[in-house]
Amino acid sequence: HLSRMLFSCLVDADYLDTEAFMNPDAYAARGCKTSMEVLLDRLLAHMDSLQKNAATLKVNKIRKEVYERSLDMSTNPKGFYSLTVPTGGGKTLSSVAWALKHAVHNGMERIIIAIPYTSIIVQTAYILKGIFGEENVLEHHSNFDPLTIKDASLRNRAKTATENGDYPIIVTTNVQLFESIFSNKPSDCRKLHNIANSVIILDEVQTLSTEFLQPIVDALKSYERMFGISVLFT
């Protein structure tokens, strides 16, 4: 895994150096500098607004409890965590709230949300873009075409970010994430180094293939130990 991380750094640096020389406009469009602190503030404000306007229902009380418990647990050190919530319990926003506050507390750089189903990815990305802005959420899966983004600068930034994963919040598939970790193609390995110092949320973790579960867990343990990631299993 250390060799693969060094390879990823080399490949991305090579691509970026070439791009800076051959296509400086595309190179200049890369990157998004919104901090985790700013994104956390946006989410906290959004959640306050939701809770003020929420109907007095038992399910909303439970959602609030899940959310507050997630925030309480977010200031722990980097490592492995789990969040088990039934459908409708507010898991998506609670897990992102945990991840953002955890990232701020531990000086981490990005949130990567890996989901097994594209239908859930589309729904999750739509919600997060509404809260954080499209410029801060990269949706990356086979059914999403960055060319459909109306704003030209955002379109170019999202298109280039799919190549190396340089975005504050990434919503992607399990396949994209684990291919970066295990594939032998330079294009897949290129974004691997941006997993370092990130919070990874593995949604619907019960769907992970039992056939590949051990190498996945072993890899994540290595990344936690050597490259400072945290993982939330939901």
Side-chain angles (χ1 to χ4, degrees):
H1 286 295
L2 178 58
S3 299
R4 294 176 57 78
M5 184 64 79
L6 292 171
F7 177 65
S8 173
C9 293
L10 175 66
V11 169
D12 192 36
D14 185 37
Y15 273 111
L16 290 175
D17 230 25
T18 303
E19 183 179 77
F21 178 74
M22 300 292 292
N23 191 352
D25 290 339
Y27 181 79
R30 286 187 178 275
C32 181
K33 304 305 179 186
T34 307
S35 68
M36 294 287 104
E37 288 86 354
V38 169
L39 297 177
L40 177 60
D41 287 343
R42 290 186 190 179
L43 182 59
L44 294 177
H46 175 80
M47 295 301 293
D48 285 344
S49 175
L50 277 184
Q51 291 175 1
K52 284 178 183 176
N53 299 311
T56 308
L57 301 172
K58 186 175 180 180
V59 68
N60 287 335
K61 181 175 179 290
I62 293 171
R63 287 171 180 160
K64 184 178 180 181
E65 290 173 356
V66 171
Y67 168 68
E68 291 176 348
R69 176 66 170 159
S70 297
L71 288 180
D72 289 343
M73 293 295 293
S74 63
T75 54
N76 287 323
K78 295 179 182 181
F80 288 80
Y81 298 89
S82 66
L83 174 65
T84 305
V85 181
T87 302
K91 177 186 63 176
T92 298
L93 293 182
S94 291
S95 64
V96 174
W98 177 89
L100 280 172
K101 192 171 179 182
H102 184 74
V104 169
H105 180 75
N106 290 290
M108 302 171 83
E109 295 178 12
R110 64 179 45 81
I111 311 297
I112 302 170
I113 306 168
I115 302 171
Y117 308 117
T118 54
S119 57
I120 303 178
I121 295 174
V122 171
Q123 179 184 359
T124 301
Y126 176 79
I127 293 170
L128 297 184
K129 287 176 184 177
I131 299 170
F132 303 113
E134 196 167 19
E135 71 277 9
N136 293 310
V137 180
L138 177 65
E139 184 177 353
H140 189 199
H141 55 88
S142 59
N143 291 343
F144 181 73
D145 183 1
L147 297 178
T148 60
I149 299 174
K150 294 178 181 178
D151 185 282
S153 62
L154 288 181
R155 181 167 63 245
N156 293 333
R157 190 186 300 165
K159 185 175 183 297
T160 56
T162 59
E163 299 168 354
N164 71 344
D166 187 12
Y167 239 63
I169 299 175
I170 300 169
V171 187
T172 189
T173 61
N174 287 349
V175 171
Q176 288 281 350
L177 175 64
F178 294 127
E179 278 191 351
S180 295
I181 293 175
F182 292 108
S183 173
N184 62 357
K185 295 179 181 178
S187 58
D188 290 331
C189 295
R190 180 180 175 183
K191 56 182 177 285
L192 181 62
H193 70 96
N194 276 323
I195 290 177
N197 203 31
S198 296
V199 183
I200 298 176
I201 299 174
L202 289 178
D203 195 17
E204 304 293 347
V205 72
Q206 73 279 0
T207 64
L208 288 177
S209 168
T210 52
E211 183 181 357
F212 303 121
L213 191 58
Q214 195 60 56
I216 286 172
V217 171
D218 289 344
L220 292 174
K221 284 181 178 178
S222 297
Y223 280 76
E224 187 266 339
R225 185 171 67 251
M226 291 192 291
F227 309 122
I229 71 166
S230 284
V231 184
L232 179 66
F233 299 102
T234 68

